Amino acid sequence: MGTKSMTCIILLCMLVALMPGVVGAADAKFTIGSSDVTASGHDGNVPANTVDGDFVTRWSANGDGQWIQYDLGVNRKVSSIKIAFLNGASRTSTFDILTSTDGSTFTTVSSGVVSSLVEGLQTFDFPDVDSTRYVRIVGHGNSTNLWNSYSEVELYGTASGSPPGASKLAITVPQLMASGDDGNIVAYTIDGDLNTRWSASGEGEWVQYDLGSSKRVEYVKIAFTNGAERTFAFDIQTSYDGYNFSTVLSGAVSSLSNSLQTFDFADAAPVRYVRIVGHGNSVNAWNSFAEVEIYGSDSSGSGSEGTVVEVSTSTQLAAELATATAGKTIVLANGTYSRTTPFAVQNKNGTANAPIVIKAKNRGQAIISGASGFRVENSSHVVLDGLKFTNTSNGAVVLEGSHHVRLTRNTFALPSSGSGLMWLQVRGTNSHHNRIDRNDFGLKSDTEPLIAYEGQNGSGQISQYDIIEYNYFHDVGPWVANGKETIRLGLSGLTLSQGYNTIQYNVFQNCDGEPEIISVKSSSNSVRFNTFRTSKGSLTLRHGHNNSVYGNFFLGDGVESDQEGIRMFGNDHKIYNNYFENLTGEAIYLPNGDFDGGTGGSPPSPTVEELRKQWKVYRALIVNNTIVNSKTGIVIGSGKAYAPQDSVVANNIVYNSTGTLYYEAATTNTLFQGNIGFGSTISNISRSSEQIRNINPLLITVSGIQKLSASSPAIDAAMGTYAFVLDDIDGQMRATADVGADEYSGAPLLNRPLAADDVGLNTH
């Protein structure tokens, strides 16, 4: 904003403060006795004269900084002040308004206020102060001389104190955050001065307030810069942990007013963080908040406020874990925590509103070392946050028979042990709804999976409804023939158990451990929206049925060997909306199996050896994928006994300059329809143009990815009906469907290739 605009904003805010106004209906005039008024000095016109109801009498003192002070007796919520000035119609007076709870430490709520040329009481409004006992007016003279002369003063607010459940919640500067600013920082939104502001230009810019502990939040008051001339659009979000936010008020629009406006919503609890997300104003993209107040109560609604304890030694940590109850937060001071056995969280149960939290005071500075690690056993609603694992001998974390456990923003950097070592294990009965998010995993050179899901002793039921998301997996290697997966989601003994687990929005970079980067060995899971960068191996559906793989990016460098896409065994898998580029191995591979599990996929009493075999593929759906500049496209069949059956390859684009684009190594009844192949040998088996068209798809590079151009023959050319393909790899809805992963559209992109900076420790 320019200087001229800023000056206008300041003058406008000052003008509003000077205008006589109407006190809110809920506000009342406080009764102040003559003995409750004091002053820095006077000329014989004493401070008690300002509360005698007589406009002829006055308090007067000469000099810049002379003050008069009012004691309310107890803490009250103060909303406004009225002042009548001596000779108020012929000269203006300048002053500040300050408040205090103890009479010694004061906060300025209005600075540099200038009165109007008016006889009688003038109203000066400011953001409600709750609570305060002392109000001080500091004079800076008048437009003629340095005399400060007030004939009458009235204070207004809530006479009975703040109503239960709706008090103003205290916020201090260290508890503030913002997505950015233009130099007008977020601290200005709580300084009590409507002439200051936080400002940031752009869609989605936000300010955030930390309430210090869990509260019940009922409504928010906001004053907007230039609010009388333009409306502002925004959302209000709340969070109990600062990472997961829920929108409690969406698409709010302000009224035309420079004063504080109240925005109510359904009470939210527990809440520690409140975020206001701006969507610009009716004139431009600027978000400018002059003042923000948050109202609610100290009760989080959980039945317990919980406790926060800080530990600095391994002994203290173990002791606090042993006595942990719902709502307890254990904060680990910077330092190393080492012991010969894992730190144990056993039979401890938090709640959704009051989890047991074990977190680093400073992310990455609480180091779990030695042979320790963590074991969370038969527990629930537990959070491990911001720790750094460098321990040896034992894995970093074992979740045994636990649910609703969250591992977030931890660093897993275990040194090489020289033998097999799993870093994170999830196993045991009654395991479900766990979340592994925003962690950093790497470097890893030991054999055994980095993350291993194991059920109960390798059989039974895999953990269900877990989410692995926004993690950075990197630098796994060197390559071995077997046993160094980055994620192994199950074991052969869990083949027929339904997981309903989701692996999403992760980055796998230089994950070169073994032929399977992700090895899915269970049923009914989703792997979606991940990005694989220069990683050897493939995403393999090794055991299990009915898994879905979609929206993923596989990006190779075209140089390192064995950079592959997706390989599968089993029944009823869906592979769609995936993008493959510069791979040096198979992009999509449906090999033959060495065991036939049958069309139902559940043979009676399969042996341990049969469960370990590669099961025949039934009814795989390979739909709407795009493969470019890779060594191999879609490969069906291999030399083993049981060829894929009743599968579909439809509406894919393969645009490679080498190899056979659609290679059929076995005779199958696979249905081909609506595919495009261009740039090399289309197929080793004769296919009609309805099955595979030999035509240039006319792709163009957009943000490093090959997408459809406006003249692409793939537009509106998809064949068949596949109801599960509702949108494309970008998250754009499909109308008349196009061929390939990309739907030609001008709609906003909701999904894109992720980089290391998009995931891991510091992402929201």
Side-chain angles (χ1 to χ4, degrees), residues 310-314 316 330-338 359-368 385-388:
E310 184 168 325
V311 298
S312 59
T313 69
S314 298
Q316 292 172 345
I330 303 171
V331 179
L332 281 66
N334 293 1
T336 300
Y337 298 80
S338 177
K359 66 181 297 184
K361 184 174 184 178
N362 294 292
R363 189 177 301 158
Q365 299 301 309
I367 300 170
I368 310 303
D385 182 353
L387 308 178
K388 183 174 183 178

Side-chain angles (χ1 to χ4, degrees), residues 347-530:
N347 303 310
K348 304 298 182 185
N349 296 287
T351 68
N353 291 337
I356 299 169
V357 179
I358 302 106
K359 66 181 297 184
K361 184 174 184 178
N362 294 292
R363 189 177 301 158
Q365 299 301 309
I367 300 170
I368 310 303
S369 185
S372 47
F374 265 80
R375 181 181 179 88
V376 182
E377 184 175 357
N378 298 328
S379 297
S380 65
H381 297 287
V382 175
V383 179
L384 298 183
D385 182 353
L387 308 178
K388 183 174 183 178
F389 294 93
T390 65
N391 53 291
T392 58
S393 301
N394 295 306
V397 179
V398 176
L399 304 185
E400 178 80 37
S402 296
H403 60 90
H404 291 94
V405 176
R406 185 181 183 196
L407 309 180
T408 184
R409 290 180 165 82
N410 301 290
T411 300
F412 291 79
L414 281 66
S416 174
S417 67
S419 60
L421 183 63
M422 299 178 190
W423 284 12
L424 170 56
Q425 294 173 271
V426 182
R427 64 193 191 198
T429 59
N430 197 35
S431 177
H432 57 89
H433 289 95
N434 300 301
R435 185 179 181 198
I436 302 165
D437 69 288
R438 295 168 174 82
N439 302 285
D440 186 293
F441 292 94
L443 315 167
K444 187 179 191 295
S445 60
D446 291 325
T447 55
E448 298 293 341
L450 193 158
I451 296 179
Y453 274 65
E454 300 187 289
Q456 180 67 31
N457 298 322
S459 62
Q461 174 63 55
I462 191 172
S463 185
Q464 293 185 307
Y465 303 103
D466 287 10
I467 297 177
I468 302 174
E469 64 180 354
Y470 296 106
N471 299 287
Y472 182 38
F473 298 97
H474 60 97
D475 302 293
V476 178
W479 178 271
V480 298
N482 186 41
K484 199 186 289 186
E485 302 96 327
T486 301
I487 299 176
R488 189 181 69 198
L489 194 63
L491 289 164
S492 58
L494 304 175
T495 295
L496 303 179
S497 69
Q498 311 295 316
Y500 310 110
N501 297 301
T502 302
I503 301 173
Q504 63 181 7
Y505 299 112
N506 302 285
V507 170
F508 299 83
Q509 189 158 357
N510 300 326
C511 291
D512 302 338
E514 62 126 86
E516 299 177 5
I517 303 169
I518 297 177
S519 183
V520 177
K521 296 183 176 182
S522 53
S523 298
S524 301
N525 304 290
S526 296
V527 184
R528 62 186 188 180
F529 311 134
N530 303 283

Side-chain angles (χ1 to χ4, degrees), residues 11 40 63 72 92 154 228 282 320 420 427-428 443 445 477 489 718 723 761:
L11 290 175
S40 56
L72 302 178
T92 60
E154 297 177 354
S282 54
E320 292 298 340
R427 64 193 191 198
L443 315 167
S445 60
L489 194 63
L761 306 178

Side-chain angles (χ1 to χ4, degrees), residues 287-358:
N287 307 287
S288 297
F289 306 152
E291 204 69 19
V292 173
E293 298 176 353
I294 300 170
Y295 288 80
S297 67
D298 286 334
S299 172
S300 68
S302 64
S304 171
E305 289 306 302
T307 57
V308 178
V309 295
E310 184 168 325
V311 298
S312 59
T313 69
S314 298
T315 301
Q316 292 172 345
L317 174 57
E320 292 298 340
L321 292 173
T323 60
T325 56
K328 186 174 190 177
T329 297
I330 303 171
V331 179
L332 281 66
N334 293 1
T336 300
Y337 298 80
S338 177
R339 54 188 283 166
T340 57
T341 57
F343 292 101
V345 182
Q346 294 180 305
N347 303 310
K348 304 298 182 185
N349 296 287
T351 68
N353 291 337
I356 299 169
V357 179
I358 302 106

Side-chain angles (χ1 to χ4, degrees), residues 711-739:
S711 56
S712 172
I715 295 174
D716 296 343
M719 299 178 64
T721 300
Y722 302 95
F724 55 90
V725 186
L726 299 174
D727 55 9
D728 73 347
I729 193 169
D730 301 323
Q732 299 167 330
M733 297 303 296
R734 292 185 184 267
T736 303
D738 300 343
V739 178

Side-chain angles (χ1 to χ4, degrees), residues 31 526 574 615:
T31 300
S526 296
K574 297 181 180 66
W615 287 30

Side-chain angles (χ1 to χ4, degrees), residues 128 166-169 216-219 221 293-297:
D128 293 355
S167 62
K168 180 182 174 184
L169 302 176
R216 175 178 295 277
V217 175
E218 301 186 19
Y219 59 91
K221 291 185 178 182
E293 298 176 353
I294 300 170
Y295 288 80
S297 67

